Amino acid sequence: QFQLVEFGGGLVQPGGSLTLSCVASGSTLYFHAIAWFRQAPGKEREGVSCISSTDGSIYYSDSVKGRFTISSDNAKNTVFLQMNSLQPEDTGVYSCAVAEYAYCRGPVDSDEYDYWGQGTQVTVAS
């Protein structure tokens, strides 16, 4: 049973920072990508960042580039999303997802991802 669990969501003021964690458990995936998605009510799901163990590639969407940083601790099967300079438009449910034999060389396509976490709410407001 392969599982992904997100941690770290919460309420933060505009301009603040928050770090999300995605912990994977279950069978080992040797070549894969882990991505962060977000979705606000009434809006489409957006792929915000991705990191690939296949070739080490990393991707950020234009909306978060320069503010968010994705990283991984392979020994702990954990991927982090450090979010800085948060704005109200960053509000949404953030989910991590895993795609097998995948790269992160361009925009993140949710259709390519096989496993999903339950999501964690991030709210940026005063």
Side-chain angles (χ1 to χ4, degrees), residues 65-107:
K65 190 176 300 181
R67 299 187 298 119
F68 291 11
T69 302
I70 192 169
S71 62
S72 64
D73 184 339
N74 292 330
K76 297 181 178 180
N77 296 318
T78 302
V79 171
F80 305 95
L81 186 67
Q82 175 66 46
M83 305 183 294
N84 299 322
S85 301
L86 285 164
Q87 304 167 17
E89 52 263 40
D90 294 315
T91 293
V93 176
Y94 284 69
S95 302
C96 64
V98 169
E100 295 179 89
Y101 301 103
Y103 304 93
C104 295
R105 298 173 178 176

Side-chain angles (χ1 to χ4, degrees), residues 21-103:
S21 302
C22 175
V23 181
S25 62
S27 59
T28 300
L29 301 176
Y30 293 99
F31 302 99
H32 65 278
I34 300 181
W36 286 98
F37 296 84
R38 67 185 182 187
Q39 187 168 26
K43 295 185 178 180
E44 296 182 353
R45 178 179 290 162
E46 176 189 12
V48 300
S49 189
C50 177
I51 185 167
S52 175
S53 69
T54 307
D55 66 347
S57 53
I58 292 175
Y59 171 82
Y60 299 100
S61 68
D62 290 340
S63 62
V64 307
K65 190 176 300 181
R67 299 187 298 119
F68 291 11
T69 302
I70 192 169
S71 62
S72 64
D73 184 339
N74 292 330
K76 297 181 178 180
N77 296 318
T78 302
V79 171
F80 305 95
L81 186 67
Q82 175 66 46
M83 305 183 294
N84 299 322
S85 301
L86 285 164
Q87 304 167 17
E89 52 263 40
D90 294 315
T91 293
V93 176
Y94 284 69
S95 302
C96 64
V98 169
E100 295 179 89
Y101 301 103
Y103 304 93

Side-chain angles (χ1 to χ4, degrees), residues 106-122:
V108 184
D109 183 0
S110 61
D111 291 338
E112 299 179 355
Y113 284 78
D114 306 294
Y115 308 100
W116 293 79
Q118 83 288 349
T120 184
Q121 176 70 42
V122 173

